[in-house]
Each structure stands twice: as C-alpha cells, then as structure tokens.
C-alpha cells in the first residue's frame, strides 16, 4: 500500500500515539512535527478551531507537507465552560497534566455531582499547504461529567476525572479501543478521514 504522508502538528507524545492509533488502518502515514524540528507557535486564538489552524499553518511553513492539527480541551458547565481553550495551561504556562488536574478538582469540589456536566471538545483541521484557503475543519464532542477523585491509569490529561455515565467509569478506565470509539478525538478523526477520502 502506498501511504500519503501528513504531518501532525503537536509535540504532545500522548496525542501523537493516540492519533496514530486512530489512523492505523488508513492510507495516511502520520509524521509528528518533531521530526522536522518545528518551532512551537503561541496559541493566540479565541476558539479551538482558531488555535488548530494556527498550529497547522505553522507546521506547514516548516515542512512543506500537508498538516493535521487539533486543539482540544474540556469544558465544565458549572465553571462557565472553563478550562476550555486553556485546558493545557489551566494552572499556568508550563503546567503538567497533574497540575491542571489538581486545579480543576479544587475548582469543582464545591459543586454538586448532578451539576458537574462537562464535555471534551476537539477541533481538527487539515491543510494541504501553509496558506491553504480552504482548510478542512471538523469537530468532535464527548459529553460526560467531572468527578473529584481520579480513577484509572489509561489516557492522559483530564481522563482520570472525566466520568462516562453509559459505561460507569472514567475515560482513564476505558481500554484504548473503546476510548477511541467514544472520544472527541476519535469522532473528529473519523469525520476527517471521510472528508480526506473524498479528495480526488
């Protein structure tokens, strides 16, 4: 099989692994931008989609290859949608997953469980070249709840406190295959690959 190369605009190794798993049965070979020494760009957008496009155009500038980028995060209804686009830096610039998790748990401790609805959002874009005027843009949304006691060792980020009611467990307690079927990122990739397969 002849693969089509696409650069993935992220240096997050967990995201690289997850997206590679989701693309493993496709005709696309995903190459992380780290192989091209891409300099990270500041995410100045006001939405997930704007940030994904910023990252995609930055990676395309360095690589001269088609690029996929995503921006994702968690929105908690009772916190007026926070952390939202600041999910990766919720407790400050350079924050670790543990730092962000600890801050969110602290922020939701006073909220009744029934009011802890939340959702993961993933905006994913594809551009053929840096100034591509017609990017492909898709979105995936995964609804659930947030809890204050982390559970599970799979996944990353906020997965240990994202409760999936239909499976009575957290995202971090799901096996990878099931998570990929349900997740916001899995939804977005399935939509994106469908659109990519329509390109002649």
């Amino acid at each position: 099989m002849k693969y089509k190369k696409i650069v993935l605009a992220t240096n997050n190794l967990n995201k690289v692994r997850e997206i590679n798993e989701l693309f493993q049965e496709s005709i696309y070979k995903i190459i992380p931008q780290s192989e091209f020494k891409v300099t990270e760009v500041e995410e100045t957008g006001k939405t997930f989609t704007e940030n994904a496009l910023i990252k995609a155009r930055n990676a395309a500038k360095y690589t001269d290859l088609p690029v996929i980028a995503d921006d994702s995060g968690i929105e908690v209804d009772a916190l007026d949608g926070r952390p939202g686009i600041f999910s990766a830096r919720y407790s400050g610039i350079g924050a670790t997953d543990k730092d962000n998790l600890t801050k969110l748990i602290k922020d939701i401790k006073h909220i009744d469980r029934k009011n802890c609805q939340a959702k993961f959002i993933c905006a994913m874009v594809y551009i053929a070249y840096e100034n591509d005027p017609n990017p492909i843009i898709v979105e995936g949304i995964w609804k659930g709840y947030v809890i204050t006691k982390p559970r599970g060792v799979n996944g990353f980020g906020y997965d240990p406190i994202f409760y999936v009611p239909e499976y009575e467990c957290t995202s971090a307690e799901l096996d990878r295959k099931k998570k990929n079927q349900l997740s916001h990122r899995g939804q977005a990739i399935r939509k994106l690959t469908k659109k990519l397969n329509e390109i002649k």
Side-chain angles (χ1 to χ4, degrees):
M1 180 188 294
K2 186 175 181 180
Y3 290 97
K4 297 181 180 180
K5 293 181 180 179
I6 301 179
V7 173
L8 180 60
T10 184
N11 291 321
N12 182 320
L13 296 180
N14 287 310
K15 196 176 285 189
V16 170
R17 173 189 52 75
E18 192 170 274
I19 290 178
N20 264 316
E21 287 176 357
L22 288 160
F23 269 103
Q24 66 184 356
E25 295 181 5
S26 75
I27 63 169
Y28 303 101
K29 181 174 177 60
I30 305 302
I31 307 168
Q33 70 177 17
S34 57
E35 292 192 14
F36 298 89
K37 298 181 180 178
V38 174
T39 301
E40 285 198 355
V41 66
E42 186 178 358
E43 297 175 25
T44 56
K46 291 182 170 56
T47 65
F48 291 113
T49 298
E50 287 178 6
N51 281 333
L53 280 167
I54 288 169
K55 290 185 280 190
R57 296 197 189 283
N58 179 65
K61 177 176 67 177
Y62 284 91
T63 63
D64 290 324
L65 284 170
V67 174
I68 288 172
D70 90 300
D71 196 50
S72 52
I74 191 168
E75 294 186 349
V76 179
D77 291 359
L79 298 179
D80 297 321
R82 296 191 308 274
I85 61 170
F86 301 105
S87 293
R89 51 193 186 279
Y90 190 43
S91 63
I93 301 297
T96 65
D97 282 357
K98 185 177 180 180
D99 294 335
N100 291 327
L101 202 62
T102 299
K103 176 171 171 50
L104 185 54
I105 289 170
K106 180 181 177 182
D107 288 350
I108 64 173
K109 271 193 171 178
H110 67 285
I111 302 171
D112 289 339
R113 165 67 196 279
K114 64 182 180 180
N115 294 322
C116 278
Q117 295 95 335
K119 56 182 173 288
F120 273 127
I121 298 176
C122 173
M124 189 169 288
V125 304
Y126 166 91
I127 57 173
Y129 51 92
E130 181 185 356
N131 295 312
D132 186 348
N134 298 302
I136 296 173
I137 300 171
V138 295
E139 184 180 73
I141 297 175
W142 191 14
K143 295 182 178 181
Y145 293 82
V146 281
I147 59 176
T148 55
K149 292 184 179 180
R151 289 165 41 181
V153 296
N154 299 326
F156 59 97
Y158 297 96
D159 286 337
I161 64 168
F162 184 76
Y163 186 77
V164 186
E166 58 265 44
Y167 288 90
E168 299 183 342
C169 68
T170 67
S171 174
E173 292 176 298
L174 294 169
D175 63 49
R176 287 182 181 178
K177 185 175 180 181
K178 179 55 69 176
K179 181 190 174 188
N180 288 342
Q181 288 174 355
L182 299 171
S183 77
H184 51 310
R185 194 166 290 114
Q187 294 174 41
I189 284 178
R190 285 189 292 275
K191 291 176 183 178
L192 182 62
T193 51
K194 182 178 179 182
K195 288 181 178 291
L196 287 173
N197 290 336
E198 293 170 357
I199 298 174
K200 302 299 183 182

